[in-house]
Amino acid sequence: RSWQQEECRQLRMGSGRRWLHIILCAGESLPSSPLSLLAMTTEEPEMVTLISAEGHRFIVDRKAAFVSNTIKSMLDGGFMETDLGEVTFREISTPILEKVIEYFYYNLRYTNHTSSIPEFSVDPEIALELLMASNFLDT
């Protein structure tokens, strides 16, 4: 059996970081096993979801989230989070996770910055909890 298409059409299947792209165009025939001709391509989503202990969902730029080596390992490794593109932190409260994410963006913005870097302010009331979260997240 051959595969025929009257116009170009892109089919995209997959989840997480693994996607299979198939492009079929008019007049092209593929053998009975078109998948043998195609290679898996890696395409990383630009955003990831970080979920606090209370269930608040933060949509975060992948580069910012990767300031955390823990999150990077979870999303790049063979963990369930890799396919979902989201990580749940059952021990990190919403205000602490929000401050951590604020730091991710701060770090991303000011890494290799040549001019003066503004102070990253932390309220003393959350300092200990933030330090524990930072230690867990390896940031």
Side-chain angles (χ1 to χ4, degrees):
R1 170 179 146 199
S2 66
W3 296 69
Q4 297 283 333
Q5 286 294 111
E6 294 181 15
E7 58 185 44
C8 289
R9 184 179 302 168
Q10 180 176 355
L11 306 171
R12 188 172 181 220
M13 300 177 289
S15 66
R17 294 181 56 225
R18 302 200 120 206
W19 291 90
L20 179 64
H21 296 268
I22 303 172
I23 299 176
L24 299 172
C25 295
E28 292 184 348
S29 296
L30 295 176
S32 61
S33 178
L35 298 180
S36 66
L37 299 176
L38 303 170
M40 295 294 282
T41 60
T42 300
E43 182 176 297
E44 297 179 354
E46 294 183 22
M47 306 301 277
V48 297
T49 304
L50 305 181
I51 306 168
S52 71
E54 297 84 8
H56 188 91
R57 303 171 74 84
F58 295 92
I59 309 299
V60 180
D61 182 271
R62 186 178 189 86
K63 289 178 185 175
F66 277 22
V67 167
S68 163
N69 290 319
T70 301
I71 293 173
K72 182 176 182 178
S73 294
M74 293 172 107
L75 292 173
D76 275 349
F79 297 99
M80 178 178 66
E81 291 85 359
T82 303
D83 290 333
L84 299 175
E86 64 182 36
V87 181
T88 301
F89 298 103
R90 300 192 191 287
E91 301 295 323
I92 302 177
S93 67
T94 299
I96 297 302
L97 186 56
E98 183 176 22
K99 192 67 172 179
V100 166
I101 293 167
E102 185 181 324
Y103 174 76
F104 291 166
Y105 283 102
Y106 171 89
N107 181 286
L108 198 61
R109 179 174 181 184
Y110 292 110
T111 298
N112 301 324
H113 205 266
T114 54
S115 63
S116 65
I117 299 173
E119 181 179 325
F120 183 78
S121 64
V122 175
D123 293 331
E125 302 84 41
I126 66 165
L128 181 58
E129 202 174 348
L130 189 59
L131 180 62
M132 290 174 15
S134 170
N135 185 51
F136 171 73
L137 293 171
D138 192 15
T139 55

